[in-house]
Amino acid sequence: MSSDEVTDVIDPRPARRLDVPFQGFVVDMVSDEVDLGEAGGIVRREYVDHPGAVVVVALTDDGNVLLLRQYRHPVGAFLWEAPAGLLDLDGEDPHVAAARELAEEADMNAGSWDVLLDLLPTPGGSNEAVRVYLARDLTPVPDDERHTREAEEADMVVVPVPLEEAAALALAGRLHNAATIAGVLAAAIGRASDWETLRPVDSPWEYRKN
């Protein structure tokens, strides 16, 4: 098999829903019976049913990426992350959701948008799909239009970090948010190739749930 044939392919096995052990405000835990064929047999798989998310690598004109410091209770840590948010409105354009999250979390609008990459962060335990955007031509949101941040976002800190330095921080183990790390490294690779790796904002996204 050549590298030209290495491409993820959507090809679901026959399955039926057995149970929904937990229904949450954002995600559900579901249990399916899956037929893996003669070799694999019938198996039961439990996983998180997730609406999906968008992430924004916001790059300033002078080459800084905007990182946000936010508390994440499940890991009990303050993490440095790119602006991001859930796709919890059925049918919402993910680009529109990304623009909203950039404005709400980083107080920035962007005049230029591209797709950096698409991710399945934990495909063994969740159907969450994540699209990572590159946002450029940034301008501040006017003061009277800024979002009032609450809860974990209330004391959020926004810091511009040179893209090369952000990539080095990721590789040094000082950043841990997977989508942020992937986005920063993809942006670094993209810029080194004169952005030949970018895709249009309306590029197909087969793994998106909603």
Side-chain angles (χ1 to χ4, degrees), residues 162-199:
L163 180 58
E164 297 88 346
E165 184 177 334
L169 292 172
L171 296 177
R174 293 173 57 185
L175 302 180
H176 295 85
N177 180 284
T180 296
I181 291 172
V184 165
L185 296 179
I189 293 170
R191 188 168 68 175
S193 66
D194 199 24
W195 300 118
E196 291 182 358
T197 58
L198 298 180
R199 288 179 283 146

Side-chain angles (χ1 to χ4, degrees), residues 23-93:
Q23 287 183 296
F25 180 71
V26 175
V27 301
D28 298 335
M29 176 65 74
V30 300
S31 178
D32 291 351
E33 184 180 79
V34 187
D35 184 353
L36 299 178
E38 185 175 342
I42 305 294
V43 298
R44 178 170 177 154
R45 293 291 177 260
E46 296 178 344
Y47 61 96
V48 174
D49 188 23
H50 194 288
V54 289
V55 176
V56 184
V57 176
L59 196 64
T60 65
D61 291 342
D62 53 357
N64 291 322
V65 61
L66 301 183
L67 295 180
L68 319 173
R69 183 176 182 266
Q70 183 172 355
Y71 181 70
R72 294 300 191 182
H73 174 67
V75 294
F78 287 90
L79 303 183
W80 289 95
E81 306 175 343
L86 295 171
L87 289 172
D88 50 2
L89 298 178
D90 287 347
E92 183 181 32
D93 185 333

Side-chain angles (χ1 to χ4, degrees), residues 78-162:
F78 287 90
L79 303 183
W80 289 95
E81 306 175 343
L86 295 171
L87 289 172
D88 50 2
L89 298 178
D90 287 347
E92 183 181 32
D93 185 333
H95 165 230
V96 172
R100 183 183 66 251
E101 294 297 337
L102 178 63
E104 290 182 356
E105 294 191 349
D107 298 324
M108 287 288 177
N109 294 318
S112 173
W113 289 88
D114 299 278
V115 173
L116 271 173
L117 74 165
D118 296 325
L119 304 173
L120 298 173
T122 53
S126 173
N127 61 4
E128 179 186 11
V130 177
R131 172 155 280 189
V132 184
Y133 292 92
L134 176 69
R136 292 176 288 177
D137 299 332
L138 304 180
T139 54
V141 174
D143 289 345
D144 61 347
E145 298 178 11
R146 294 191 175 184
H147 176 70
T148 300
R149 293 189 276 268
E150 302 174 340
E152 288 92 342
E153 298 179 355
D155 58 354
M156 183 180 286
V157 177
V158 182
V159 174
V161 179

